[in-house]
Amino acid sequence: MKISYNWIKEYLDLDAKPVDLAEKIERTSVEVDDVTKPSDGLKKIVVGHVLSVEAHPDSDHLHICQVDVGEAEPLQIVCGAPNIAEGQNVIVALPGSRIANNVKIKKSKMRGVPSAGMICALQEIGFSEDVVPKAYVDGIYVLPEDATPGDAVYDYLGMNDSLIDLDVTPNRGDMLSLYGTLHDLAAIYDKPVELDHPEVKEDGAAIDDQLAVHVDDALSSQYRMRLVKNLKLAPSPMWLQIRLWNAGMRPINNVVDITNYIMLKYGQPLHAFDYDKFNGEDVYVRTAKAGEKLTTLDENDHDLDENDIVIADQKGPIGLAGVMGGLDASIQEGTTTVAIESAVFEHDHIRKAAQRHHLHTDASQRFERGVNQAGVQEALDAAAQMMNELAGGEVQKGTVVGSHNIPEPAVINLTLTHVNAILGTALTMDQVSHILESLGFEVTISADTLTVTVPVRRNDIHIPADLLEEIARIYGYDQLPATLPTGRMTMGSLTAKQRLVRATRKSLEGLGLNQAISYALTTADKAKMFMMQASETTELAWPMTVDHAVLRMNLITGLLDDIAYNSARKVKDVALYEQGRVFYREDGQDRPAEEEHIAGAITGTLLPAAWNQPAKPVDFFQMKGIVAAYLKDMAVNGDVTYVPNADMPEMHPGRTADILVHGHRIGFLGEVHPSIAKKFKVGATYVFELNLQAIVDMPKQENQYDVISRYPAITRDIAMLVDNDITNEQIVALIERRGGAFLQSVKLFDVYDGVKVPKGKKSLAYTLTYQDKHETLVDDAVTQAFDKVSKRLEEELGAEIR
Amino acid sequence: MSLKDKLSELRQRGLADIKQSTDLKDVNQVRVQLLGKKGPITEVLRGMRDLDTAERPKVGAFANEIRDDLTAALTQRKEELEQAVLNAQLAKETIDVSLPGTPVAKGEPHVIQQIVDQIEDLFLGMGYQVLSGPEVEEDKYNFEMMNLPKNHPARDMQDTFYITKEILMRTQTSPMQARAMEKHDFSKGPLKMISPGVVYRRDTDDPTHSHQFHQVEGLVIDKHVTMADLKGTLQVLAHELFGDKFDVRLRPSYFPFTEPSVEADITCFNCGGKGCKVCKNTGWIEVLGAGMVHPNVLKMAGVDPDVYGGFAFGVGPDRFAMLKYGVDDIRNFYLNDVRFLTQFTKKG
Ligand SMILES: [Zn+2]
């Protein structure tokens, strides 16, 4: 809500400049979006009196005007506005002036005729199109008759006021009005504020004989109407129009403007109906019936919902309560009798109706947050009074009341001890009671206790904590001390799981992978790829896009998306890992289980080509090396084995292995199936994904010290020819099993399956290291063990030792 | 010429030859010439047979002295020449040390992870636990127990990814307040926790919005926790994350789950508080929301609000990273361009 600095000053004796006032509001009550002065940036824009208007000889719409701008000679200005006429006072941008958007106006020629400046529309001097009175939207604006030619126009149009745009939080509905804001400012500046209260001059007949209202209390806790007859519709006086457009509202006519003005002043939305357009003399406040329709003031048609509150006459709805009135019973030319409605509608219904019909209006915004329920009649009276004063209407006797449930003010007890204990302050009773009283709250004190009566307008305050906020903000958060919690000592340490997750990240970074954080919401297709266990998908009820509609059940697709993003930007070497959750859902369950996973993906080369080394494209074994090193870092207890898996549809059937720890599958690694890679638009990519939770839960090997033998080790190399389907793992396992007591390690140093070996065979070569921890090994012992294992290899694996 | 004179002359000549030798081969030749079996010294010694027995030891000693001198000179010359050879060799081996080092494989932690870790470490040091909670949450925890009943305007359907009526993607890490309070045994001492994690909002991704981002929740519940403690804690956080030059100020705000509620601003990164475009000329930038835990939230989590109370805060690591490094598009954090990921390499 934009609030006028000048309007505030009518009620409050303030020295503060607008920016300082805004700063104070922001620090003490609600956020301020900005402070603007409409005349800022404008230059040399004055009142001009149109002395004569002639048609332009070479144009069918341009006019040549002689305009008195308060100087010795009139200016000749060419003007294209259709509504230009002799005798008008108009807005003139002089030569050398600046109008909206920093546009400079110079002397020029228009179709050959010299033009010294420009006659302006309101939009051209910075008014938003939707606040310009309808009569002037498509033409120039006409200033009042008593404007003096040559004067700057700003004061005539209220443009020297400063407007403070408040961003009111949902709890502070009271700040959506001048009066509400004044109450807060009174406390902030610790100054009295004098508000005016209307006195209605009633005339004519009793309203009860002319109008009856029938209200469902549950929908409208208060519903009041007044009737004003014999009104003369006319444009509002300038001061009123200025208030409205400076608040961002379009002036329409005196009657409608008065309802809007009262809303800005009191925060109470009003609606004016044309009484003569009612069918009958009864007005109903009820929910809409199935099939009912309403055309609202903005000329949009709405199919009403059975949860919409409507104002209706005998025939049907004439307004969407608290949101927008209907077109049929609206104030239009010829209206003479007006029924003014001042009411409180149930906020939840209003919120939903505004959403349902996409009609977020100034009225609905206020009803959603709650209006001052103690001020409904006063606002109504003020409006009736103004209609008498400004439109010559006769206010009929009395108010018709359909419901009148005014809540009792909240009474809250609070102790000074509590205030200081929670705020961490040392405030005195005087300070606290003074703050509360300055907000307009009633305070009685008994010993340590304050009994606070909160005015109904502050519908956000119900409990002591609410009062604490009032005290704290008015006292000032800057004055609060800054301390740290004391009290019993607590331990701050990571859990074993948290430590392992951190170690996981460090390990993989050390191995060359960058941490990625991808989207957990993905497409239905991607969610289901690279599955490590069977699961139902978990889908969003109302996704924003199909790209982020289903919860992932793997991390790899996210990494492939990342690689594709890089690849599309010509970044071809990518090494990523991600640690995050996948979501497995059992059939019949609404909620998925969340499992921590860790995954990696590499493409291109891990080490870029450099002047001293060629690029080495990533391959299976590079990824396997990373996984093996990582699992070693995690010190899982038990053998890690890699078992071929040809059955994962998204993986290369010959280059994929399940990863088993002590026989339990914890994940897989391998090359992404080329057709899947193609789908993702990525090159050859190697990936792994592991169940991190499983790694967390596994028993771990503690570090231990092993004496390093002082005795020399003896090595023997063995090369053998075996059938292609014999695996390295089989050979190593056999050597380790049959290698004898002194065998320390087996290391593969060559694999060859080229032209020098028979078809269907491959050659493997290993270095066997023997060592005795307690004495020097004798050569014979090694030879004996070596011969034995060679024989076993021949017998059990059909190896041909070379 | 006496034998002694002969020897003296031999020494003169020998030393001169050694000095003139220019390579190791020369030196070797000189050595053989001087000290070899057919060399002059051997020859002189052979001539001793003709001397008096009384003269012999003297001449012999003299001859040995000369032999030692020549040997020492030869060794020295040899070393000199060897050194020269080595120097020449090393001179040939000179490399361009400005050539780049051989690349090593090295990965970086994600910038948001770095900020989360930094926050975790700070609060661990102050005795907080680190808790993590479900990303798929119950409406009950995400909203109801946070004092946002079903029809509360602040829980606009538009902002939440629902899965069913009661199950949703958490929109905030605040549900961890309720979960932590429900589990905590207050007889064992205060509850001090932070809870980092991913949250989701029904937003269209653009430079300043992401449907997925991070939050870190903080919560302290004890018998005597004050709003001043909250202010002090947030100050420590700002100083740790951004530096001592950054000030914190509190402003009133509104969250259903705290009362009083505040928003915390810190000194503008861009202008240091003087006022600029980034901070809309205020010198301050809003970075987090906080407040004293609402009594309803305590009650619903089974904590007696007459005995216990405390503060809660929620910070956004994405926003912190954007502010701290001037990242102008939040989507950078989730698209994982390697050129982006590897910009934040400073350790410690
Ligand atoms: Zn700044």
Side-chain angles (χ1 to χ4, degrees):
Chain A
M1 148 150 193
K2 279 188 182 161
I3 196 134
S4 150
Y5 176 75
N6 287 348
W7 204 4
I8 288 172
K9 285 195 71 164
E10 284 180 18
Y11 293 90
L12 202 66
D13 177 24
L14 270 188
D15 299 326
K17 285 187 292 184
V19 282
D20 298 330
L21 174 63
E23 158 91 7
K24 202 83 178 168
I25 292 173
E26 173 147 288
R27 298 302 310 283
T28 324
S29 34
V30 296
E31 228 170 289
V32 171
D33 274 350
D34 60 6
V35 184
T36 49
K37 186 172 165 188
S39 62
D40 271 355
L42 304 180
K43 208 172 86 184
K44 291 175 89 171
I45 299 172
V46 301
V47 178
H49 183 72
V50 181
L51 299 171
S52 66
V53 177
E54 281 170 51
H56 190 295
D58 295 329
S59 162
D60 56 355
H61 71 281
L62 292 178
H63 294 92
I64 302 166
C65 312
Q66 303 302 322
V67 185
D68 171 10
V69 292
E71 284 161 26
E73 293 294 318
L75 292 180
Q76 174 171 296
I77 303 174
V78 177
C79 176
N83 62 333
I84 183 83
E86 200 178 294
Q88 284 173 338
N89 283 333
V90 294
I91 303 166
V92 175
L94 297 173
S97 64
R98 243 171 231 287
I99 60 170
N101 302 320
N102 217 9
V103 174
K104 224 174 156 180
I105 300 298
K106 287 181 258 178
K107 279 188 187 172
S108 64
K109 274 189 181 170
M110 291 183 81
R111 304 245 174 119
V113 176
S115 180
M118 175 173 155
I119 300 177
C120 298
L122 288 177
Q123 295 94 310
E124 285 161 333
I125 58 168
F127 279 59
S128 154
E129 173 102 18
D130 39 87
V131 305
V132 174
K134 279 264 164 70
Y136 304 113
V137 166
D138 298 318
I140 53 154
Y141 185 71
V142 180
L143 290 162
E145 281 172 24
D146 58 359
T148 310
D151 279 4
V153 295
Y154 315 123
D155 280 330
Y156 289 102
L157 298 170
M159 297 177 77
N160 279 329
D161 196 358
S162 287
L163 309 172
I164 301 170
D165 196 357
L166 305 180
D167 184 5
V168 176
T169 47
N171 59 326
R172 292 301 306 273
D174 63 301
M175 292 286 285
L176 290 172
S177 66
L178 173 74
Y179 274 19
T181 306
L182 285 172
H183 281 297
D184 242 47
L185 291 177
I188 294 172
Y189 285 100
D190 197 9
K191 282 186 172 178
V193 57
E194 287 295 324
L195 305 179
D196 48 56
H197 301 286
E199 273 173 50
V200 195
K201 203 181 97 200
E202 292 183 335
D203 239 328
I207 190 172
D208 289 345
D209 299 336
Q210 308 175 64
L211 188 62
V213 293
H214 311 276
V215 177
D216 179 345
D217 278 33
L219 304 177
S220 173
S221 61
Q222 283 193 68
Y223 196 86
R224 296 162 189 269
M225 272 188 164
R226 272 188 179 277
L227 203 56
V228 185
K229 285 193 160 173
N230 297 322
L231 287 154
K232 278 171 221 61
L233 283 194
S236 297
M238 270 318 267
W239 67 265
L240 178 50
Q241 296 198 36
I242 288 170
R243 287 277 178 262
L244 293 183
W245 70 44
N246 274 350
M249 306 185 87
R250 187 202 303 275
I252 295 170
N253 57 47
N254 47 9
V255 168
V256 174
D257 292 354
I258 286 166
T259 60
N260 285 332
Y261 174 80
I262 294 299
M263 178 180 72
L264 293 175
K265 186 167 170 179
Y266 292 91
Q268 171 65 49
L270 302 177
H271 189 69
F273 293 98
D274 184 338
Y275 173 78
D276 294 330
K277 291 184 191 135
F278 285 171
N279 295 289
E281 293 180 351
D282 292 278
V283 166
Y284 303 86
V285 179
R286 57 164 171 87
T287 49
K289 292 172 190 161
E292 281 186 328
K293 289 174 193 298
L294 178 71
T295 305
T296 42
L297 276 176
D298 57 4
E299 299 180 23
N300 284 317
D301 297 328
H302 300 272
D303 292 321
L304 297 174
D305 185 279
E306 286 173 56
N307 290 309
D308 290 336
I309 309 175
V310 293
I311 314 301
D313 62 15
Q314 278 168 10
K315 265 180 89 181
I318 53 172
L320 187 54
V323 179
M324 192 179 274
L327 187 62
D328 287 349
S330 67
I331 309 301
Q332 281 160 24
E333 225 180 296
T335 297
T336 58
T337 304
V338 168
I340 317 168
E341 168 203 275
S342 184
V344 177
F345 297 107
E346 200 281 314
H347 56 86
D348 209 35
H349 279 84
I350 301 299
R351 182 169 69 91
K352 286 177 178 156
Q355 263 175 20
R356 205 156 31 228
H357 299 288
H358 304 288
L359 274 177
H360 294 277
T361 61
D362 290 309
S364 73
Q365 186 196 15
R366 285 170 174 82
F367 283 122
E368 283 174 37
R369 291 165 198 240
V371 298
N372 176 12
Q373 299 198 50
V376 180
Q377 181 70 43
E378 181 173 340
L380 180 60
D381 290 348
Q385 169 62 13
M386 279 182 83
M387 287 189 197
N388 168 252
E389 284 169 13
L390 300 182
E394 292 166 12
V395 181
Q396 303 299 293
K397 286 205 180 79
T399 300
V400 65
V401 179
S403 57
H404 53 94
N405 310 306
I406 305 175
E408 287 298 316
V411 178
I412 304 164
N413 286 321
L414 184 71
T415 65
L416 180 65
T417 313
H418 183 68
V419 171
N420 285 321
I422 301 297
L423 298 183
T425 47
L427 296 171
T428 64
M429 192 57 112
D430 273 358
Q431 281 176 294
V432 173
S433 63
H434 184 77
I435 287 171
L436 294 172
E437 280 165 354
S438 70
L439 283 161
F441 299 1
E442 261 175 51
V443 181
T444 56
I445 297 165
S446 151
D448 192 40
T449 304
L450 301 102
T451 301
V452 184
T453 306
V454 182
V456 169
R457 64 182 160 79
R458 289 301 303 276
N459 63 3
D460 59 320
I461 293 179
H462 312 281
I463 57 171
D466 298 330
L467 289 177
L468 289 177
E469 178 163 86
E470 298 303 296
I471 297 163
R473 70 186 180 89
I474 301 294
Y475 176 60
Y477 286 117
D478 285 350
Q479 303 211 58
L480 223 55
T483 53
L484 288 176
T486 50
R488 243 166 93 180
M489 193 69 140
T490 49
M491 277 290 293
S493 60
L494 293 174
T495 62
K497 174 175 176 176
Q498 288 162 346
R499 284 200 305 273
L500 184 133
V501 170
R502 277 197 181 190
T504 290
R505 294 199 300 257
K506 280 231 169 65
S507 171
L508 292 171
E509 283 151 21
L511 293 163
L513 308 187
N514 290 297
Q515 185 184 13
I517 300 177
S518 315
Y519 293 120
L521 291 167
T522 183
T523 66
D525 278 352
K526 289 175 188 172
K528 288 187 278 212
M529 290 180 168
F530 302 98
M531 296 281 281
M532 280 166 56
Q533 68 171 68
S535 168
E536 300 293 319
T537 54
T538 311
E539 288 154 29
L540 299 182
W542 303 105
M544 291 287 280
T545 71
V546 291
D547 287 343
H548 307 295
V550 180
L551 280 160
R552 67 184 174 194
M553 294 184 283
N554 70 84
L555 299 181
I556 289 175
T557 49
L559 294 174
L560 292 179
D561 281 339
D562 299 337
I563 289 177
Y565 183 85
N566 277 281
S567 178
R569 280 153 191 79
K570 304 275 179 277
V571 179
K572 299 293 184 191
D573 300 330
V574 184
L576 298 174
Y577 81 88
E578 178 155 5
Q579 172 250 316
R581 300 206 185 140
V582 298
F583 302 82
Y584 295 133
R585 192 172 64 84
E586 276 179 40
D587 196 15
Q589 299 280 321
D590 283 346
R591 198 165 163 204
E594 302 180 22
E595 195 171 87
E596 275 312 328
H597 274 205
I598 183 85
I602 52 178
T603 189
T605 67
L606 202 52
L607 288 176
W611 61 278
N612 61 349
Q613 70 182 21
K616 185 175 174 295
V618 293
D619 64 18
F620 177 91
F621 298 105
Q622 205 162 19
M623 196 50 139
K624 185 177 174 184
I626 289 170
V627 171
Y630 162 64
L631 289 172
K632 186 161 179 266
D633 277 356
M634 296 304 104
V636 290
N637 215 347
D639 292 337
V640 179
T641 48
Y642 299 84
V643 180
N645 179 346
D647 301 326
M648 288 189 72
E650 299 86 8
M651 295 294 287
H652 189 306
R655 293 183 177 176
T656 299
D658 282 340
I659 302 166
L660 279 65
V661 175
H662 207 70
H664 301 288
R665 180 177 188 246
I666 59 162
F668 64 95
L669 100 120
E671 183 179 344
V672 173
H673 197 291
S675 53
I676 295 289
K678 202 172 157 195
K679 236 187 230 171
F680 275 89
K681 299 200 172 79
V682 300
T685 302
Y686 291 85
V687 295
F688 75 85
E689 180 152 342
L690 296 167
N691 178 348
L692 185 56
Q693 187 59 50
I695 296 173
V696 169
D697 296 337
M698 278 176 180
K700 308 294 184 313
Q701 262 166 12
E702 286 310 314
N703 287 337
Q704 61 179 42
Y705 168 62
D706 235 352
V707 176
I708 296 159
S709 176
R710 289 184 288 126
Y711 302 99
I714 295 174
T715 60
R716 292 284 160 88
D717 290 350
I718 183 169
M720 67 195 87
L721 265 184
V722 291
D723 289 344
N724 255 338
D725 58 356
I726 301 285
T727 67
N728 167 62
E729 192 179 288
Q730 286 173 293
I731 296 166
V732 171
L734 183 82
I735 296 173
E736 282 176 346
R737 204 164 60 242
R738 303 294 185 187
F742 302 125
L743 181 68
Q744 293 297 309
S745 70
V746 183
K747 194 179 162 202
L748 174 74
F749 70 87
D750 189 46
V751 179
Y752 181 74
D753 56 3
V755 289
K756 287 180 190 159
V757 296
K759 224 173 169 195
K761 298 267 184 189
K762 60 184 173 186
S763 158
L764 295 117
Y766 297 85
T767 298
L768 279 55
T769 304
Y770 297 88
Q771 192 175 36
D772 188 338
K773 284 186 178 162
H774 309 292
E775 56 185 343
T776 305
L777 260 185
V778 271
D779 219 40
D780 279 356
V782 172
T783 308
Q784 215 173 25
F786 185 75
D787 289 348
K788 202 173 133 196
V789 89
S790 305
K791 210 172 142 211
R792 285 292 185 172
L793 285 165
E794 287 169 342
E795 286 171 11
E796 292 184 25
L797 298 177
E800 193 182 312
I801 310 295
R802 316 216 296 170
Chain B
M1 192 188 272
S2 78
L3 208 50
K4 205 176 164 188
D5 288 345
K6 234 178 174 172
L7 279 170
S8 288
E9 197 207 296
L10 202 60
R11 171 159 71 181
Q12 295 288 325
R13 215 180 56 217
L15 287 174
D17 286 352
I18 291 167
K19 215 174 167 186
Q20 276 163 22
S21 60
T22 54
D23 58 27
L24 290 171
K25 214 171 122 199
D26 268 6
V27 176
N28 201 39
Q29 226 160 28
V30 173
R31 186 180 61 78
V32 174
Q33 268 169 23
L34 290 174
L35 306 175
K37 284 195 177 113
K38 289 172 190 165
I41 293 186
T42 317
E43 202 176 304
V44 169
L45 289 175
R46 232 180 254 135
M48 286 215 307
R49 269 171 284 178
D50 308 331
L51 291 179
D52 294 351
T53 40
E55 277 290 299
R56 273 188 206 168
K58 280 186 200 163
V59 175
F62 187 58
N64 279 335
E65 189 191 317
I66 286 169
R67 181 195 281 266
D68 288 350
D69 283 356
L70 290 173
T71 306
L74 277 165
T75 308
Q76 195 197 336
R77 184 65 187 150
K78 190 178 164 212
E79 277 169 12
E80 276 171 17
L81 289 171
E82 275 170 355
Q83 190 62 46
V85 168
L86 181 60
N87 287 348
Q89 167 83 19
L90 294 184
K92 270 191 271 173
E93 287 172 10
T94 299
I95 55 165
D96 176 0
V97 297
S98 74
L99 287 171
T102 307
V104 290
K106 189 169 164 299
E108 300 298 340
H110 196 284
V111 62
I112 288 180
Q113 185 74 55
Q114 295 184 33
I115 287 179
V116 170
D117 284 353
Q118 214 180 340
I119 296 173
E120 282 185 7
D121 290 344
L122 170 72
F123 283 97
L124 284 166
M126 294 196 289
Y128 289 58
Q129 322 160 53
V130 180
L131 302 179
S132 62
E135 290 172 26
V136 180
E137 189 49 283
E138 296 172 40
D139 184 276
K140 180 178 109 177
Y141 284 102
N142 195 75
F143 289 127
E144 279 166 59
M145 292 184 72
M146 286 294 101
N147 206 23
L148 281 133
K150 280 266 151 66
N151 285 323
H152 199 285
R155 58 183 285 180
D156 218 318
M157 276 281 286
Q158 302 298 319
D159 297 333
T160 309
F161 282 129
Y162 278 93
I163 290 166
T164 67
K165 245 184 121 187
E166 299 299 330
I167 304 295
L168 46 79
M169 302 306 292
R170 67 172 172 192
T171 59
Q172 46 188 5
T173 44
S174 305
M176 279 310 287
Q177 289 186 29
R179 287 184 177 273
M181 282 190 276
E182 275 185 341
K183 274 202 181 152
H184 189 73
D185 178 356
F186 283 91
S187 72
K188 303 241 163 76
L191 167 61
K192 292 162 81 179
M193 71 91 175
I194 59 163
S195 184
V198 182
V199 300
Y200 304 84
R201 296 272 171 93
R202 202 166 180 283
D203 254 332
T204 303
D205 295 343
D206 68 21
T208 54
H209 297 86
S210 176
H211 73 273
Q212 168 183 312
F213 57 100
H214 293 75
Q215 272 189 355
V216 181
E217 197 74 11
L219 178 71
V220 174
I221 302 289
D222 198 0
K223 285 181 180 159
H224 307 288
V225 183
T226 71
M227 196 150 189
D229 294 339
L230 168 62
K231 187 176 170 182
T233 303
L234 296 179
Q235 232 164 46
V236 169
L237 175 64
H239 290 169
E240 165 73 14
L241 245 64
F242 302 115
D244 291 342
K245 277 182 287 178
F246 288 84
D247 273 337
V248 176
R249 68 170 199 183
L250 304 181
R251 271 188 296 109
S253 188
Y254 171 72
F255 306 107
F257 37 92
T258 47
E259 187 72 34
S261 298
V262 288
E263 232 142 355
D265 298 339
I266 67 166
T267 314
C268 175
F269 295 83
N270 196 44
C271 63
K274 277 182 240 125
C276 69
K277 230 178 164 179
V278 174
C279 58
K280 288 200 218 153
N281 283 317
T282 60
W284 296 93
I285 291 193
E286 179 188 321
V287 287
L288 60 90
M292 303 305 287
V293 178
H294 197 290
N296 290 355
V297 172
L298 294 169
K299 249 181 270 173
M300 282 187 275
V303 178
D304 183 353
D306 292 331
V307 181
Y308 294 98
F311 62 74
F313 59 85
V315 307
D318 301 60
R319 181 159 167 75
F320 273 25
M322 290 178 86
L323 291 171
K324 189 166 179 175
Y325 300 110
V327 176
D328 53 3
D329 192 330
I330 193 172
R331 291 171 295 191
N332 280 325
F333 298 131
Y334 303 102
L335 294 170
N336 301 302
D337 188 319
V338 174
R339 294 165 300 181
F340 176 79
L341 295 178
T342 52
Q343 285 180 28
F344 310 96
T345 58
K346 178 174 179 275
K347 308 287 189 295

